[in-house]
Amino acid sequence: MARSGNRARGKWARRGRAASRGLGWLPGAAWAVLAGRSRGRQHGAGRTCDDFGCGFPRGVAWDPLPPRLPRTRGELAPSHHRAGGCRRFLLRGPSRGRHSRARGPHIDRVGEQSLKGSLPTRPPAERVVVAAVLSPDSEAAQAADPLAEIEGLAVAAGAEVVGRVTQRRPKPHVRTAFGPGKLDEIRALCKARDAQVLVVDLDLSPSQGRNLEKELDLRIIDRTELILDIFATRARSRQAKLQVELAQLQYLRSRLRRMWTHLERTGGGIGTRGPGETQLETDRRLIGQKISDLKRRLADIEARSRRRAEDRLDPNTVSLVGYTNAGKSSLLVKLTGADAYVADQLFATLDTRVRHWKLEDGRTVMLADTVGFVRELPHHLVASFHATLEETLHADLLLHVLDASDPDRMLNLRAVHSVLGELGADEIPTLLILNKADLLDDAERIALRAEFPEAVLISVKSGEGLDLLDAAIAQQLDAWSLHLDVRVPSGAGKLIADLKRVSRLQDERYEGADWCASVRIGPRHWGMLQGELRRAGASFAAAASSGSAASASEAG
Ligand SMILES: Nc1nc2c(ncn2[C@@H]2O[C@H](COP(=O)(O)OP(=O)(O)OP(=O)(O)O)[C@@H](O)[C@H]2O)c(=O)[nH]1
Ligand SMILES: [Mg+2]
């Protein structure tokens, strides 16, 4: 007993010493690496990882799935990563990968120490050519730079864009998306630029993808696959990871047939069709089971967080929504001092982050930052991320942040409206925020004011317009709140505290044993508190100064 106590003290003392040296807490296996006990500590490029009996190849992408499958980096060889002995894991940056949040920075430092100067830290970025078919009805065709979005997505997925191709056609070629002449051009370009992947800004049908792969002898990634890949590498929370996995499996299920076509082509005679079909059915069944399992687990998480939210009497929720990279997280950081991840890249944020923000008039609101949108966000993804986006759906007010300096701002605005419509959130009161005003000249400002007279022009970077934003939010919250005079027995202290927390007090005094106040309160909170007020023997009526018929009738 005493010995195990000593051992424990020794272990924690060692970890304590490491923390005091700035290394923080380390998992046991990382300790082994630090202490030089790891067998794989000195391995070099091209060898396999022998840490913890892993055997996973080093210095190569750890991605042995077939090329057209959506991937979750780090999903394979999980024990390898968990063990902490892998060079890739040790050197992986804090912004990527499943472990990075909790252990990234100090693990990185360990990696630097133990493998200093020995090996490149990451495989080289994949060289990709981006290509789009610009049909008259496609959104991209109307953009100032039709390839800007898909290029941004490819970069966000960690690729290096080495070539760009577009083809104007009434609609994508039914077999290969691009016409035969264009295919020759793409083939030559990919060869000249030594590209390994062609990223197509389309949702390819399984047969189009297969034909393109055959024609070009390259890996083909379509838009949905690319977005799923970005989400897979960025997902941090358990819920986000499950949501991405669900979206990937749903996407995969619709494409399963294509993966078994090599069996169809083995001759098609007796004895060859059967196994192929059986395998397809087996895969479908397994994927179906996995999908149901994921849905069940997500529903559990969703129900738990919904119950928690219903039990809480939270202040008004204001959600930041908008096109990706518009500056939503930057605004959250600026207003609340939160430690959200801000980066000049698409889909920097994948989880919802909520922080308290105190308005100038003393009211506190919950400010929520969430996933940004892009044009034609894959439906599977919107469906899978419904729970994350649900916080947005339940907001009292949406702040639609738009990058005013983006030449394609109108397209971006429409894209966001369309996703909000898909989520059923288009009825929520919305305030348009035009961000990045510091990048605009005077003429652009005048044009924007004429175009969006209701919007608030701000710059998170320079701080311009943030006071106006505060006032505009307060005004919006007041516009649909009820204005009531309430009288509560002063013994109902909790009720009075709740009222103070979720409403805006305009006047407060004690009359005898009663607390009397004139309050502005949102309909949601009023619905939650009305019963309690009645039970506590409180009285309430539309405030004398309130001209709102809605207020009077509700209060009555
Ligand atoms: N010039 C300028 N840049 C800004 C401003 N606000 C944000 N940015 C930059 O815009 C980029 C994107 O900012 P984020 O806050 O990560 O954008 P986001 O909307 O949260 O993006 P996602 O999470 O990807 O949807 C970052 O490089 C910011 O520094 C601004 O007012 N002016
Ligand atoms: Mg963000």
Side-chain angles (χ1 to χ4, degrees), residues 324-325 327-330 340-343 345 347-350 369-372:
T324 180
N325 217 34
K328 302 177 293 299
S329 304
S330 308
Y341 177 56
V342 169
Q345 63 182 179
F347 294 128
T349 308
L350 279 198
D369 177 27
T370 191
V371 187

Side-chain angles (χ1 to χ4, degrees), residues 322-331 341-350 369-373 401 435-439 458-462:
Y323 195 78
T324 180
N325 217 34
K328 302 177 293 299
S329 304
S330 308
L331 187 57
Y341 177 56
V342 169
D344 190 8
Q345 63 182 179
L346 308 193
F347 294 128
T349 308
L350 279 198
D369 177 27
T370 191
V371 187
F373 305 149
V401 184
N435 188 28
K436 308 199 186 180
D438 56 296
L439 300 176
I458 66 160
S459 164
V460 175
K461 195 170 180 185
S462 69

Side-chain angles (χ1 to χ4, degrees), residues 159-181:
E160 182 191 353
V161 178
V162 294
R164 299 155 50 97
V165 187
T166 55
Q167 181 175 32
R168 286 192 186 275
R169 292 178 59 90
K171 58 181 183 183
H173 191 285
V174 68
R175 261 195 81 247
T176 49
F178 300 91

Side-chain angles (χ1 to χ4, degrees), residues 428-507:
I428 302 175
T430 304
L431 185 62
L432 183 62
I433 314 289
L434 303 173
N435 188 28
K436 308 199 186 180
D438 56 296
L439 300 176
L440 302 174
D441 59 27
D442 287 345
E444 284 171 319
R445 282 166 182 263
I446 293 167
L448 276 168
R449 284 198 195 289
E451 202 173 353
F452 305 105
E454 310 273 277
V456 185
L457 188 65
I458 66 160
S459 164
V460 175
K461 195 170 180 185
S462 69
E464 176 190 341
L466 293 182
D467 49 340
L468 296 177
L469 175 62
D470 186 306
I473 290 172
Q475 196 185 2
Q476 283 277 339
L477 293 177
D478 282 347
W480 42 261
S481 63
L482 309 170
H483 191 183
L484 303 173
D485 286 331
V486 292
R487 174 182 282 267
V488 187
S490 53
K494 181 175 175 303
L495 193 53
I496 294 173
D498 283 347
L499 262 175
K500 284 185 177 176
R501 191 148 53 88
V502 298
S503 64
R504 183 175 150 210
L505 279 188
Q506 293 193 307
D507 174 34

